[in-house]
Amino acid sequence: MARSFKKYKRKAQKTLKTIRNLIGGILTALVLISIFWPAMDTGVDLPFGTPEDWLNGVLDQTDLAPASGIALPESGPFVCALDVGQGDAVLIGDSGHYALIDTGTSSSADEMIAALGRLGVEKLELLVLTHPHADHIGGASRLLDEVPVEEMLLPNSKLCKKVASFSYEKLLRKAQEMDIPMEVAQVGDRYTFGSSTLEVIGAGVETKDNLNQLSPALRFDGPGLSFLDTGDGEKEVEQALLASGEYLRADVFKAAHHGSDTSNTSEFLAQVMPKVVLISCGKDNDYGHPHQGPMARFQMLGAQILRTDEQGILLVAPAADGQSLNTWVSGADEAA
């Protein structure tokens, strides 16, 4: 009963917020149109840009405009790397069923949640947290406040002797108070999304203090599309996957550890053989991601390389022929 009440309360709050934003956005847009319409297409520049720039900015902020032209397919599988700066947040789904792998940083949480809303994601059937680093779990608390989550999949923290952060423990307590079921990732776990499945094919490796090594390997398969995500798993995680004999070939690969040289080994990539590589990282980040070595290896594979720091939101879905892939990006101007 308590969980049901909380669910309806969140839904009511979300509906009221949406209505409030819509009314406010319409009123703001009407005022700006009345002010700037005479200057449209005249070549007149206003402070901070043209009249068109002002209007487009307001529409984006009030959720009256689509997510920079990115629209999820109505049916079939897709992979969408959200632009969360120096972090990870990858949305996968099929025919209105969604899962999110990681949530970026706390500073990018509002932007991530707004992007989900513009993409039409009203709830998540699964939230996966690959490992307790701030650039992967930082936005999770705000996400739980705004978007209903049916279940959470967590890394096996027992593999690492290092104690998880206070913020991670606080997040888990919050999920528990919200009655959200939580499971620790184990090899063989499978989740269904429309006609597609998400499977755990690796559950991290034992480590003394490197939380990256807790990252599970996740394989998403649907008609015309396969995707592999290994979080921030480093060479030891890749070696364990190679030794396991798991099938690793995938159309799309999210570059491990933001394209770091600690991961993305030649031996591993030779088994994955991706057609598209998604790199999630921030502009001019302090780590130099993506590193030159992995970039050279991706290029040697002949893969199409898409980067959030240069192209914003990245979307991949099967083409109509079922044999090739279509890709879309939101644009360099919006990359974080």
Side-chain angles (χ1 to χ4, degrees), residues 116-181:
L116 289 173
R118 292 195 296 269
L119 290 168
V121 179
E122 297 182 351
K123 71 174 182 178
L124 294 168
E125 295 179 16
L126 183 67
L127 171 61
V128 183
L129 301 178
T130 60
H131 63 289
H133 274 161
D135 59 331
H136 289 253
I137 66 164
S141 184
R142 282 278 294 113
L143 179 74
L144 295 184
D145 288 335
E146 300 292 335
V147 181
V149 173
E150 294 185 358
E151 187 174 355
M152 292 173 62
L153 186 64
L154 308 174
N156 185 359
S157 58
K158 293 181 180 179
L159 292 174
C160 184
K161 296 179 180 179
K162 182 178 180 180
V163 178
S165 65
F166 172 75
S167 59
Y168 182 61
E169 296 297 337
K170 184 178 179 182
L171 170 64
L172 298 187
R173 288 197 299 272
K174 179 174 186 174
Q176 186 174 29
E177 291 169 358
M178 297 176 71
D179 295 324
I180 300 174

